[in-house]
Amino acid sequence: MGKVYVARAADETQIPVYGQLGADVMARGFTRDAFGAILRKRRDQTRMFLMDKRALASIGNAYADEILFAAASTPRPSATS
């Protein structure tokens, strides 16, 4: 499913895609305002946004599903809409 790279900090730039990773949602500097700034630039589906490593580096498939479930979000239109 994935790959693991072991590298010295000085060699991190040699890891494929590593330099393209977006914000780390677990970092202290990641705030609601920081999330809003990233979100304002996007127009894709919520799940695709959450899983885009160029936007948010820390969220994968399972976490995206859990986030959307907790938010009671579904891609299907409701019967009342």
Side-chain angles (χ1 to χ4, degrees):
M1 289 183 60
K3 294 181 180 181
V4 174
Y5 295 91
V6 178
R8 292 185 301 261
D11 297 330
E12 288 177 346
T13 57
Q14 295 177 8
I15 299 172
V17 187
Y18 190 80
Q20 299 172 4
L21 293 177
D24 179 0
V25 299
M26 299 301 290
R28 289 185 184 265
F30 188 76
T31 63
R32 181 177 281 193
D33 290 336
F35 179 72
I38 296 167
L39 189 59
R40 278 191 288 280
K41 299 174 187 174
R42 303 297 294 250
R43 294 289 178 248
D44 45 353
Q45 294 180 354
T46 306
R47 188 169 189 280
M48 299 313 298
F49 164 69
L50 291 173
M51 291 178 44
D52 183 354
K53 299 292 182 228
R54 293 169 295 162
L56 304 170
S58 309
I59 299 176
N61 186 35
Y63 285 128
D65 287 344
E66 293 296 324
I67 290 166
L68 295 174
F69 180 80
S73 178
T74 178
R76 298 184 197 110
S78 66
T80 58
S81 58

